[in-house]
């Protein structure tokens, strides 16, 4: 007997959709192509036995800030490092970002007032809720308007509000998570959201590894009677018997199943740069020149605003930066249960790149931590093809679910007031290629489930004619 709903893909969005639909009394089948559930929420012993590494998602502030995750309350422990994030500099002490806004403001000195006026005023839950539901009515219209004023310009424009290079560099590191040229519109908004989350909820990791979060969500789904299948790739909607289908999948994979012009619009969706990722097992903590950096969970390595802007612009235009911006995570700063000193880092590369960036990444770490290479016991590398093999949604190594430019911010994956709904009745999209985009928040799944439970009715006749 067919289930009422089939959810294809078990990342955070798929898991949230599956749980909410099972709660509504529907019979739900969750189908995953990989051998393990969780999508980007996976952990493994990538380097040495007993050393646990997060394969993709690792620092998960959105799991605390998201309305979907707050409602589900997954039973895991989120642990915080003493310092949320650090940005080492060549010519002075590192910039440290604390959960305590006032402490951060005080340590920023001349930049503190501007940090409070921009980042600080964005650190409100009702604003984050509004931004994570971008097509609904704002819960905080005045804050949303203020955020729009600061967030719409390029990151390079907003950075001019900071008097010194220290805060400019730290803000550039936040904005560079967008994986696009920081001279483009709305990159300031990406930086503001990420920086504000430091002060609103912190930048935690999951004790024991990100896979624990996926495991908790899967357990909640199964407790509701949900069924799961792993190791089975759904290649066409015609393979699915359920009248309602939710796709936590990169949508172009199913473009042929949809009528035109919708299918063509899906094929026109653009993916952003990829990443080259490294994991290490170390024989001790990273020997940072500024010892305060050892207390940080996340470390941004790229030097000044100008250097980061140049690096990200080169990648955006399809070139490999010789001094890439590196996003590094020291999970052991918050979680001693992972076995020794696992270290995680990646840099941005052109989509589909096959270049080994190990030397460039390690040179950036060595630049701020002389002697780092002497601490390496083992390393594990993943290029864009490896990441795509791990998760088919990471097309060309794009872990963000699609290019994050202004055009694709409002057209994700197509322009629609309800982009989670497709022209085929009963078929919905919920992956990171739908609003509000990538990260561990589950809001795509939340929105798809909301449409289904509020009365959308599937049609066997319409599905059969697709």
């Amino acid at each position: 007997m067919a289930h009422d709903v089939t959810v294809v893909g078990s990342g955070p969005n798929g898991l949230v959709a599956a749980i909410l639909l099972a709660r509504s009394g529907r019979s739900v089948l969750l189908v995953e192509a990989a051998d393990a559930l969780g999508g980007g929420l996976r952990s493994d012993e990538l380097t040495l036995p007993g050393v646990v590494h997060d394969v993709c998602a690792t620092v998960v502030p959105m799991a605390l800030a998201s309305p979907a995750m707050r409602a589900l309350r997954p039973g895991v422990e989120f642990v915080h490092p003493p310092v949320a994030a650090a940005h080492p500099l060549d010519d002075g002490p590192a910039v440290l970002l604390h959960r305590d806004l006032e402490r951060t403001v005080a340590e920023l000195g001349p930049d503190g007032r501007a940090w409070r006026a921009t980042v600080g005023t964005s650190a409100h839950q009702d604003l984050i809720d509004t931004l994570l539901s971008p097509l609904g009515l704002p819960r905080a219209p005045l804050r949303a308007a203020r955020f729009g004023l600061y967030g719409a310009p390029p990151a390079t424009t907003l950075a001019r509000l900071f008097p010194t290079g220290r805060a400019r560099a730290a803000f550039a590191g936040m904005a560079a998570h967008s994986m696009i040229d920081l001279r483009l519109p709305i990159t300031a908004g990406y930086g503001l959201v990420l920086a504000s989350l430091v002060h609103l909820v912190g930048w935690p990791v999951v004790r024991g590894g990100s896979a624990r979060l996926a495991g908790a969500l899967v357990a909640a789904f199964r407790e509701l009677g949900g069924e799961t299948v792993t190791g089975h790739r759904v290649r066409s909607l015609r393979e699915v018997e359920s009248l309602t289908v939710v796709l936590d999948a990169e949508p172009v994979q199913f473009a042929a199943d949809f009528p035109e012009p919708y299918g063509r619009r899906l094929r026109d969706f653009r993916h952003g740069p990829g990443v080259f990722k490294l994991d290490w097992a170390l024989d001790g903590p990273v020997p940072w020149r500024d010892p305060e950096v050892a207390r940080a969970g996340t470390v941004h390595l790229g030097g000044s605003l100008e250097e980061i802007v140049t690096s990200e612009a080169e990648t955006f235009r399809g070139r490999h930066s010789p001094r890439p911006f590196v996003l590094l995570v020291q999970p052991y700063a918050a979680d001693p249960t992972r076995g020794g000193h696992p270290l995680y880092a990646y840099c941005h590369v052109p989509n589909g790149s096959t270049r080994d960036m190990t030397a460039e990444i390690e040179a950036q770490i060595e630049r701020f931590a002389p002697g780092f290479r002497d601490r390496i016991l083992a390393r594990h590398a993943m290029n864009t093809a490896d990441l795509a093999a791990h998760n088919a949604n990471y097309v060309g190594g794009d872990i963000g679910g699609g290019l994050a430019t202004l055009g694709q911010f409002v057209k994700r994956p197509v322009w629609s007031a309800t982009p989670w709904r497709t022209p085929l009745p009963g078929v919905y999209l919920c992956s990171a290629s739908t609003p509000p985009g990538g990260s561990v928040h589950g809001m795509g799944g939340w929105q798809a489930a909301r449409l289904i439970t509020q009365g959308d009715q599937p049609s066997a006749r319409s599905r059969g004619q697709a």
Side-chain angles (χ1 to χ4, degrees), residues 55-254:
V55 181
C56 188
T58 185
V59 177
V60 289
M62 283 294 187
L64 293 181
S66 154
M69 291 293 186
R70 296 201 316 269
L72 295 183
R73 297 182 180 180
V76 297
E77 183 180 358
F78 296 96
V79 288
H80 296 265
V83 175
H87 192 111
L89 298 170
D90 294 299
D91 56 357
V95 181
L96 304 180
L97 301 181
H98 305 277
R99 291 183 69 184
D100 186 333
L101 172 64
E102 293 308 314
R103 182 178 178 184
T104 302
V105 166
E107 292 185 7
L108 284 173
D111 294 309
R113 182 175 180 181
W115 190 270
R116 182 191 289 113
T118 55
V119 175
T121 58
S122 301
H124 293 274
Q125 188 63 63
D126 53 4
L127 175 62
I128 298 301
D129 289 352
T130 294
L131 297 174
L132 288 177
S133 301
L135 304 181
L137 294 175
R139 299 188 182 186
L142 294 179
R143 287 197 180 108
R146 184 184 181 93
F147 176 86
L149 178 66
Y150 285 132
T156 50
T157 299
L158 184 69
R160 295 174 191 160
L161 298 178
F162 301 115
T164 80
R166 288 174 55 76
R168 291 175 199 160
F171 185 74
M174 294 288 166
H177 283 252
S178 66
M179 299 175 67
I180 61 176
D181 190 331
L182 300 187
R183 297 169 295 188
L184 293 177
I186 74 168
T187 48
Y190 291 115
L192 283 176
V193 168
L194 285 171
S196 69
L197 289 173
V198 168
H199 307 305
L200 181 64
V201 296
W203 275 19
V205 296
V206 178
R207 184 179 293 278
S210 294
R212 298 278 183 92
L213 177 55
L217 294 172
V218 170
F221 172 62
R222 288 173 173 161
E223 287 175 4
L224 293 165
E227 297 181 37
T228 62
V229 172
T230 58
H232 177 72
R233 182 178 298 280
V234 176
R235 300 184 183 278
S236 170
L237 294 175
R238 290 179 173 82
E239 300 174 24
V240 182
E241 296 182 11
S242 303
L243 291 181
T244 301
V245 183
V246 182
L247 299 174
D248 182 12
E250 193 279 331
V252 76
Q253 299 174 59
F254 293 90

Side-chain angles (χ1 to χ4, degrees), residues 391-409:
N391 189 329
N393 288 357
Y394 300 156
V395 176
D398 174 10
I399 62 174
L403 192 65
T405 54
L406 175 60
Q408 289 204 165
F409 179 78

Side-chain angles (χ1 to χ4, degrees), residues 42-55 208 211 279-281 337-339 342 378-380:
R42 300 206 208 143
S43 308
D44 204 348
E45 297 177 349
L46 297 176
T47 56
L48 297 175
V51 180
V52 177
H53 301 269
D54 290 327
V55 181
D279 291 275
W280 301 267
T337 71
R338 299 195 183 199
R379 70 167 60 82
H380 177 271

